[in-house]
Each structure stands twice: as C-alpha cells, then as structure tokens.
C-alpha cells in the first residue's frame, strides 16, 4: 500500500511539472512580438516545405517563397493546436 502511494505521489509530481512546463512554454511564446513569432515559424515552414514538397530545392526563388508562405499558415495553426493539445494531454 505504501509503495503504491509513493508511485501515485511521484506520478502526480511529474504531471504537475509537465503542466507547469507546458503553460510556461505557452506563456513564453505569447510574449514574443508578431515579428519574432513569424520569423521563427517561417524558418520552421521552410524546413517543413523541404521535407514535404517534392523537389522543393529545385524550385525557383519566387515559387519557393510562395510555397513557404502557403505552408506557413498550416505550420502556425498546427503549432498552436499542438501546444494546447499537449496541455490537454497532461
């Protein structure tokens, strides 16, 4: 009985720490300016486009920019949803 109580207590502590870290991450990201946030997600969008779009590296610059801008919207939406999904998981 005591061993099970310790496991439950440890589990609760881990969950609280995970929740606090997730909330801290969300709050930290919400303090960034629009330019900072867009810059970070734009660089992530470029990496995603390189992985997802066939022959992305062979596209001309205007086409690359247009493609990254289209991917950028989805990346931002997924990132926001994922932050809160992780919080909901804990």
């Amino acid at each position: 009985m005591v061993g099970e109580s310790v496991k439950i207590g440890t589990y609760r502590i881990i969950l609280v720490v995970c929740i606090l870290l997730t909330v801290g991450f969300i709050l930290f990201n919400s303090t960034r300016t629009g330019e900072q946030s867009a810059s970070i997600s734009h660089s992530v969008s470029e990496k995603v486009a390189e992985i997802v779009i066939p022959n992305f590296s062979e596209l001309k610059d205007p086409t690359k920019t247009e493609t990254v801008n289209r991917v950028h919207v989805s990346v931002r939406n997924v990132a926001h949803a994922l932050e809160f999904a992780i919080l909901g998981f804990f």
Side-chain angles (χ1 to χ4, degrees):
M1 208 59 179
V2 174
E4 186 174 320
S5 174
V6 171
K7 286 181 184 179
I8 291 173
T10 303
Y11 180 70
R12 285 182 179 166
I13 290 170
I14 291 170
L15 280 178
V16 168
V17 168
C18 288
I19 290 169
L20 291 175
L21 288 172
T22 304
V23 168
F25 180 75
I26 291 169
L27 290 175
F28 174 74
N29 283 333
S30 68
T31 63
R32 295 175 188 253
T33 65
E35 288 178 10
Q36 290 172 324
S37 179
S39 173
I40 291 169
S41 61
H42 190 76
S43 64
V44 171
S45 298
E46 285 183 42
K47 299 295 182 194
V48 169
E50 289 173 4
I51 294 168
V52 174
I53 308 296
N55 302 321
F56 179 78
S57 60
E58 298 171 11
L59 297 175
K60 294 182 181 180
D61 283 342
T63 308
K64 278 185 180 181
T65 302
E66 181 183 320
T67 303
V68 169
N69 288 339
R70 282 197 325 258
V71 170
H72 185 238
V73 174
S74 297
V75 166
R76 286 186 67 89
N77 288 336
V78 168
H80 287 116
L82 189 59
E83 284 177 327
F84 289 96
I86 291 170
L87 181 60
F89 175 75
F90 294 121

